[in-house]
Amino acid sequence: MSKEYFVAVSGQPNCGKSTMFNALTGSTARVGNYPGITVDRTEGRYCSTEFCANLVDLPGTYSLTSYSMEEVVARDVIVDEKPDVVINMLDATSLERSLYLAIQFMEIGVPVVLGLNMMDEVRKKGIRIDSHKLSELMGVPVVECVARKGVGKDELMASVKKVVDETQGKWTPVNISYGHDLDPVIDEMTAMIKKAEFMTDRYDPHWLAVKYLEEDEIVMKNGSKAGPLAAQLVKKVAEVSAHIQKTLNTYPEAVLADYRYGFINSILKQGVISREDNLRFDFSDKIDLVLTHKFLGPLIMFSVMYAMFYITFNIGAIPQGWVENGFGWLSDTIAAILPDGLLKSMLVSGVIDGVGAVMGFTPLILIMFAMLVFLEDLGYMARVSYMVDRVFRMFGLHGMSIMPFIMSGGLPGGCAVPGVMTCRTLRSPKERIATILTAPFMICGAKTTAYLMLVGAFYPENATTVMFFLVLLSWLLALCVGRLLRWTALRGESTPFVMELPPYRIPTLHGIAIHTWDRVWQYIKKAGTVILAISVLMWALMTFPQLPNDRIATYDTQRTQIIHESESWVGTNQEKQIKLDKALSQISYNQGEAALKNSYAGQLSDAISPVTNIAGFPWQANIAFIGAFAAKEVFVSTMSTAYSLGDEDPDNALSLSEKIAADKAWTTPVIWSVFVFLMVYVPCMVTVAVIIRETNWKWGLFSVFGSLGFGFGLSVIIYQVGTLLC
Amino acid sequence: MPVTLRSMKKDQKGVVVAVNASGELGRRIRDMGLVPGTEFMVVGRAPLKDPVALRMKGFTLTLRNNEADFITVTPED
């Protein structure tokens, strides 16, 4: 076991590349991120009796241009990390397109092994592929595979070993002919590059010349820093480009692509494929006739989403209950062990309750992601975005944006945390960020509780209608803000919708398990770090400063007094006891309210009241809003504390509703001002943490302050205009 | 007689004559294999008539109508 091989596994999306990667690496696969971006980097090991190899799974790409993050990453790994071999998995059912990526690897010069995947499907279709002939013509090993069954994995690695033994680390770039218009120019540029040693430490000169002709943004940007030759190359390209546009009415880039496909075709036509399968209808097309049907399609789509939603929040509620019970037990145990005091209060209210509330979502996220990964691997998600793209495009979003909205509470009761994480399926940065920023407007489970309490208080007659209206409002706001963002901060062309509708394929359990667990684990790590810190901070804000001793003494005096008085009350002992308990708890509630008003959170509420008065928020709502940043559930519990009910059980909100309904401060404009603010004002801290994870600090802050400003603006308008009208 | 891809009807077959898009869109279209000479068939449209789905080279490709405008095709018969 002398040498550790370094092997990159690549392929176009949906070619079964990751399935093969999982088959090769088994349980050794672990997922990280490429530094600074959210593209997953999966690594694993393969060992045979003869050698061991470290494998890295490159992101699925159709090509190696610098169009998307995935392509750049795939290319950089090849160029910078110099793998010994690239295993290029191909979907043998669409061989022509699949070879396009392979050709580009060969142009860079990295040794390639081709894995012809899905050979079982190919045979079923009655197509014959001569893999020996293909191997001969391409000059690289070709291995027939069925990744789902693990067929061909050891042959692939045997080929890897053979290639490494033969090449000894030497790269030989393949130069294909680009025709009489471009070839002379490429030769000329290659010579110039060689002579000036222009970036030759990193790239092959010929490849570099081709990239200049393709006007590859990243190569050109690096080039302009590398030396004066860059300007000459750019000039050269401009000349050729002008010539080609005049004579052929096209672009060098298009000519390059045409010749690559021409090269592929010339190989395939030499008896590699026995029968063309071009336009044959297959099984997937038949399913699509139903699933993307004009009427049935949307109907099925909504049913599937409703089912996912239902399963997540009903079945998921069971394990969620276990997790919550577990934390409840932990909190009770610690409360019983430790003496009363700050340490206990911090551990119980700050640490355990805070982290517990977040961890309670873990089962939901696990279930939701498992289903999403399933639907995505199955090929259904591509259909959904295909169907809704037209509508979402009007709002500057992409068809793929629908899933995050649904998950975040587009059907009330979702959660923005998995919703935002779902945005990973969106490949274009601008539309993705616009979706990430607006998805938290949806009515998540926590907001649902708060709305049920408020709507129950103010509109007991029309609760359902008002709730329905609120849901519509959240969609409307999210879509409109999406449109607004795409006109302003996230201005730019909409991303092309040129995408593949992959054939329906039942995903492997192993693949689903790996993908799901990876995301869930990242969520758990977050809960253990950032969220722990913030929840301790929130606890401190609502606890300190404590009431001064003399004020505590006042309440103690009241208690002694009432106990003393109770002796002279009339009635049976039992009646007296009930009356006494009620009086005592009233005092405790008063004390709680006083403590809350006295705390930093309370003082903060007082301090900001001149501002929030413009929007008409009652002080109780003020403080509840501050607390609800930690988790929206806190809105209800803080309101109940603030209304001196003490009963912090959100399920028992009826009496709270009555109390609020009786409060004269809540006029109709105030109610709607609070409704809208609660919907929009900031995502909860868990969501913010996830937004930062999925984008960066800048967008996290923008999400907090942008939605705060937007929500406040709306509330002010509603309150001020509403008050004028009423 | 060449027409734009947008005007093709469902179940109609054709051959790509030219892709007139440059930049990101052009690159994306070419990467997917929609180059001159490609035979295709329109297999469907989304419920709101846009995007459009094509069957070609053994797979199904979707693109929006305003992207289809850049693609010139010769319809079969």
Side-chain angles (χ1 to χ4, degrees), chain A residues 63 67 94 96-97 100 253-254 261 279-281 285 386 389-391 393 495-499 501, chain B residues 22 24-25 27-28 30-33 40-41 44-46 48 50-51 55 57-60 62 64 67:
Chain A
S63 148
Y67 163 76
S94 74
E96 180 184 343
R97 193 201 56 193
Y100 192 64
E253 206 188 332
Y261 279 110
L279 307 177
R280 219 169 67 115
F281 252 74
D285 293 311
Y386 166 68
D389 179 69
R390 191 68 195 87
V391 179
R393 199 192 331 160
T495 317
F497 194 76
V498 181
M499 55 173 232
L501 288 188
Chain B
S22 62
E24 199 173 292
L25 176 62
R27 199 175 299 159
R28 189 103 173 110
R30 282 189 290 272
D31 285 352
M32 298 296 282
F40 67 90
M41 178 173 145
R45 284 182 191 276
L48 292 169
D50 185 17
R55 185 105 189 111
K57 292 184 178 172
F59 71 104
T60 308
T62 65
R64 292 173 177 160
E67 291 155 4

Side-chain angles (χ1 to χ4, degrees), chain A residues 173 175 185-201 203-209 212 229 232-233:
Chain A
N175 299 344
V185 186
I186 294 174
D187 289 344
E188 214 178 304
M189 286 168 73
T190 309
M192 286 159 76
I193 291 166
K194 268 187 189 151
K195 201 173 149 220
E197 291 184 358
F198 181 73
M199 296 201 284
T200 44
D201 51 330
Y203 305 113
D204 169 67
H206 185 270
W207 186 80
L208 202 55
Y212 259 91
L229 186 62
Q232 287 178 52
L233 292 175

